[in-house]
Amino acid sequence: MATFFGEVLSVYSRAVEEDDDDLDDENEDERIHREIEEKREVHIVWCPEVAQSLEDSGSNTLQCSDLIIAVGTNAAGFLSAYVLNTESWDAVGHVSLWNERSRGSSRQSIAPLPGEPACLFYRHRDNPAVLVCQSTCYIAEDQLFQWTEKVFGCLQKRGLSVMVLSDSPVAEYKTPDYLYGSAVPFLRSLKSSASKGQALCPALEQPNILTGLPAAVLSHCQVHQIPAVLYQCYTDVISPDSITMETYKPALLCLSKLVKLEPCLSADVLRKFAIITEAQSNLYT
Amino acid sequence: MMFVAAECTPTSFKDFTLIMPAISVGNVGQLAVDLIVSTLNMCRVGYIHTDCLIPMAGNNPYATFAENANDLSTNAEVYSSPELRLAVLQIRTPIIQTKSKKFCKLMVSWIKASGFSRTVVLSSSHAYQRDDQQLLGSPLRYLQTPSMQKLTGDRLKEMEWKEMETVSTFPGVTDSEQRLYIPGGGATKGLFTDSCAEDIPLVVVLIFCSEGDNIPDAFTLLNHLNTWLHLVDAPAQTQPKWRIPASWRLLFGSGIPPALF
């Protein structure tokens, strides 16, 4: 394509890869494809107690009333600060997967190290039907469907409801008005058809869409008629940040009905989680 | 998993016509399908739930008022209009590249199992890869499977539609083998060849186009299709009126900071 000034630009298609038209010669590569697929498989690793109760259940599923999924460092930080801050939560499992951007979490048997991008499950001691998942690692497009199939495969569908908290850069938010700095960060919601409750913030407006793990989870819930609600926070800060984390506060109202929360609603708690990355990114330390 | 019916809607597609897009250059097929669903006010009756597509979720792309704006929609949904005996599949995300073959297989087996009387694939192909004979005249082409040929006979030819040309495998060599070549057509060729093999009545209607603002291409393709299927009535010599859905807003990004001016 030539521009107005005559430079020739190569244009990439939004829709198709240029080399996807001839797939005829793939037979000889099938073995390689299969090996890659095996390598990219998603594994859910439960701790021995949960694995045992999965086996004992007969249907190979856990009784779960609420699944709370946090995707992204801010959403995960928010849960760490407000929900997982008491002693009564146990780490009960993790997801192990391999892709170009998450190589570390391929060690299946070993739980991820603290601070390492990962996907971890927690369970409340007094109310084991509440499951929390913190996902801070990158999950590739071809692994998302499998992730939802495997995680939801471990849970009883009956009586389950899902809440997703997710981070997103504000640059991805489309609006006819120009967004001023003071308006950011803000929260938008999306519900599956089975979810009857009122959302705590405005709905996500068309033409905005979700992608990644939140989209995969919501699609799964929509198709399987599981009530699910998502709170997406649009922020202009990439690193964990206390103001962004605080944006999720409306969700606490729902969470406090599920489990007893410590009444420590101060910004200091959030700052603790933000500071960890701040120190590393400082040029002078 | 494949087709999942939406809550409490009994679905039968027996003898329905299916229209679906191929994910192809400029997303023309998908845009055209959006126009059909929006204009005919079609109801969602189910989802195609598969690992072959990249996940996506959003609110109702065809919202007409506040009450129906907050219906969750997914990456592939099936809409139906029983009185027109028409089903439309919309696909909103690309096919995962390594799963293109699997996707074609799944689609063809679903089409077969659902009992559609005929299937129309709306597609597009790179305009810059046309050969000399394709450069002149209409940019619109069609392809039909042998079992579709049996069904419609020479109907499309009589309407002066042009069949997609085959190209020689080794250009310049006389008598070289001819093959079907749809650059930028994504799964179009796979769907077509699989349908030929499975004896499915299927037509591909495609347009040569380039990446950019492809809304005009979608209208051209759809008006062309309408001359055959008469989805929307149009008085002679006029173009049918298609309704642009709400989700087409802001195709070129958000508002501009007013401080610029």
Side-chain angles (χ1 to χ4, degrees):
Chain A
M1 190 179 85
T3 67
F4 180 73
F5 297 105
E7 308 99 310
V8 174
L9 302 173
S10 57
V11 190
Y12 296 101
S13 171
R14 294 182 299 260
V16 283
E17 301 279 342
E18 300 304 322
D19 56 349
D20 66 353
D21 300 312
D22 270 304
L23 296 164
D24 305 333
D25 309 327
E26 255 184 15
N27 284 337
E28 54 186 290
D29 299 337
E30 233 162 54
R31 198 175 53 87
I32 301 166
H33 278 290
R34 220 180 11 251
E35 271 168 24
I36 292 173
E37 214 160 272
E38 262 165 41
K39 196 176 179 189
R40 296 178 74 89
E41 203 177 318
V42 176
H43 300 277
I44 318 281
V45 184
W46 296 108
C47 71
E49 301 95 82
V50 176
Q52 188 61 46
S53 54
L54 265 171
E55 246 173 59
D56 296 344
S57 68
S59 55
N60 256 333
T61 51
L62 290 174
Q63 180 105 43
C64 180
S65 66
D66 290 271
L67 173 64
I68 298 140
I69 304 171
V71 186
T73 48
N74 281 308
F78 166 80
L79 281 189
S80 294
Y82 284 125
V83 183
L84 303 172
N85 56 355
T86 57
E87 293 291 300
S88 44
W89 290 91
D90 296 317
V92 292
H94 67 273
V95 175
S96 116
L97 53 86
W98 181 93
N99 60 49
E100 296 71 32
R101 279 164 64 185
S102 331
R103 289 163 193 270
S105 43
S106 63
R107 300 179 308 260
Q108 254 195 63
S109 50
I110 311 160
L113 304 166
E116 192 181 22
C119 186
L120 299 164
F121 292 95
Y122 296 91
R123 198 164 71 163
H124 198 266
R125 234 167 266 164
D126 304 330
N127 188 1
V130 176
L131 206 60
V132 167
C133 171
Q134 280 183 313
S135 171
T136 49
C137 66
Y138 171 76
I139 304 169
E141 283 169 337
D142 57 316
Q143 295 175 319
L144 294 167
F145 188 89
Q146 224 190 97
W147 191 101
T148 56
E149 288 290 303
K150 294 216 163 148
V151 170
F152 283 93
C154 295
L155 306 175
Q156 259 178 44
K157 205 182 118 184
R158 183 193 292 223
L160 173 66
S161 67
V162 177
M163 181 196 269
V164 185
L165 306 175
S166 136
D167 299 347
S168 183
V170 74
E172 279 177 17
Y173 183 77
K174 286 184 183 172
T175 168
D177 316 308
Y178 176 69
L179 279 177
Y180 290 94
S182 59
V184 184
F186 57 91
L187 212 55
R188 288 289 179 269
S189 70
L190 203 60
K191 294 191 308 172
S192 73
S193 303
S195 165
K196 295 293 172 233
Q198 195 72 36
L200 305 156
C201 67
L204 184 70
E205 306 90 342
Q206 271 290 345
N208 290 293
I209 53 157
L210 304 176
T211 54
L213 187 60
V217 170
L218 247 72
S219 300
H220 181 96
C221 292
Q222 174 75 2
V223 168
H224 291 92
Q225 293 166 37
I226 298 167
V229 59
L230 165 121
Y231 295 104
Q232 171 114 319
C233 175
Y234 286 95
T235 177
D236 50 2
V237 188
I238 329 166
S239 52
D241 151 69
S242 55
I243 297 166
T244 306
M245 288 185 202
E246 265 193 336
T247 317
Y248 290 110
K249 250 178 165 175
L252 276 181
L253 195 70
C254 302
L255 293 171
S256 63
K257 285 178 196 154
L258 304 175
V259 282
K260 207 170 141 279
L261 300 175
E262 287 284 308
C264 58
L265 303 179
S266 78
D268 291 335
V269 194
L270 294 174
R271 220 163 280 144
K272 202 173 73 196
F273 291 94
I275 270 166
I276 301 166
T277 50
E278 257 170 35
Q280 288 166 348
S281 59
N282 191 332
L283 179 66
Y284 304 103
T285 50
Chain B
M1 181 183 285
M2 197 54 188
F3 179 77
V4 182
E7 39 302 350
C8 48
T9 40
T11 41
S12 163
F13 299 122
K14 189 96 192 72
D15 297 326
F16 275 42
T17 299
L18 172 70
I19 301 178
M20 65 171 285
I23 318 302
S24 56
V25 52
N27 310 81
V28 179
Q30 294 156 293
L31 289 167
V33 162
D34 255 357
L35 288 172
I36 299 173
V37 176
S38 164
T39 306
L40 300 178
N41 234 334
M42 299 178 80
C43 280
R44 176 178 67 197
V45 292
Y47 315 89
I48 299 287
H49 192 55
T50 160
D51 61 341
C52 302
L53 297 167
I54 294 169
M56 183 225 93
N59 272 318
N60 185 4
Y62 312 112
T64 42
F65 46 88
E67 280 73 35
N68 67 3
N70 297 337
D71 280 341
L72 188 74
S73 76
T74 68
N75 56 8
E77 296 181 310
V78 183
Y79 295 80
S80 162
S81 170
E83 58 275 17
L84 295 169
R85 307 193 73 69
L86 179 72
V88 171
L89 164 64
Q90 177 61 300
I91 303 171
R92 302 196 171 92
T93 52
I95 302 166
I96 288 170
Q97 227 195 337
T98 50
K99 295 192 169 146
S100 173
K101 266 188 177 171
K102 184 184 169 193
F103 180 76
C104 291
K105 283 218 166 65
L106 281 170
M107 280 320 300
V108 166
S109 65
W110 176 63
I111 290 167
K112 210 167 184 180
S114 307
F116 291 110
S117 62
R118 55 185 177 181
T119 301
V120 181
V121 176
L122 298 177
S123 180
S124 50
S125 181
H126 282 305
Y128 73 85
Q129 293 216 7
R130 281 172 296 178
D131 63 12
D132 290 352
Q133 50 170 348
Q134 291 172 332
L135 278 168
L136 284 170
S138 164
L140 296 150
R141 293 290 184 278
Y142 80 92
L143 275 169
Q144 58 183 350
T145 61
S147 54
M148 187 71 198
Q149 174 86 41
K150 266 182 236 158
L151 223 70
T152 53
D154 288 331
R155 174 95 178 84
L156 298 178
K157 211 169 267 166
E158 282 157 16
M159 286 166 54
E160 291 177 3
W161 281 27
K162 272 175 105 172
E163 194 163 1
M164 182 73 177
E165 298 85 353
T166 50
V167 297
S168 45
T169 317
F170 308 104
V173 180
T174 41
D175 301 333
S176 98
E177 196 190 326
Q178 296 284 305
R179 63 172 184 142
L180 181 62
Y181 184 51
I182 311 172
T188 311
K189 190 179 164 186
L191 280 170
F192 181 74
T193 46
D194 284 5
S195 303
C196 286
E198 291 287 325
D199 216 24
I200 287 169
L202 178 134
V203 180
V204 175
V205 185
L206 65 83
I207 184 166
F208 292 115
C209 70
S210 304
E211 200 73 30
D213 178 359
N214 299 96
I215 291 172
D217 299 314
F219 278 104
T220 309
L221 184 67
L222 198 52
N223 287 335
H224 182 64
L225 180 73
N226 200 53
T227 59
W228 173 40
L229 292 183
H230 303 290
L231 298 166
V232 172
D233 290 325
Q237 311 305 317
T238 59
Q239 298 294 10
K241 284 200 168 53
W242 303 103
R243 187 165 72 202
I244 292 179
S247 50
W248 283 21
R249 288 182 311 130
L250 310 176
L251 271 184
F252 299 97
S254 290
I256 301 158
L260 270 181
F261 307 106

